[in-house]
Amino acid sequence: MPDIPDTEYITVKADGVFVGGKPATHYRGVKIGYRKSININFQDILKKYPNIQEMRFLTSETGGVYHTNGNPVAENGSNAWACVKFDDGYVSP
């Protein structure tokens, strides 16, 4: 999701859930459910993978193949995409 602005996806970090760099309760007009659980689960992930800085989640028109790299677009759709940003700045495809 390198060419997609952060206003178009959810970012989960150690200190919360964000859209566009701001704490968020909604994404694309829909309430983000289970935010407390999201934070707890992310803390559990960090215990196993401490080099993860953030996880990003996007809904997109672009479909793909499960567990395969792809090129989602920013336009909202019924497909879910995710990637991970690491402490060294690398963002997974």
Side-chain angles (χ1 to χ4, degrees), residues 7-28:
T7 55
E8 300 302 321
Y9 56 81
I10 296 171
T11 303
V12 178
K13 299 181 181 186
D15 57 344
V17 177
F18 303 84
V19 174
K22 298 176 184 173
T25 58
H26 288 74
Y27 171 65
R28 299 189 181 211

Side-chain angles (χ1 to χ4, degrees), residues 48-68:
K48 189 169 183 177
Y49 304 101
N51 60 330
I52 290 177
Q53 186 178 63
E54 64 188 39
M55 298 178 78
R56 301 173 180 175
F57 302 92
L58 166 79
T59 57
S60 175
E61 287 183 343
T62 308
V65 178
Y66 189 69
H67 279 192
T68 303

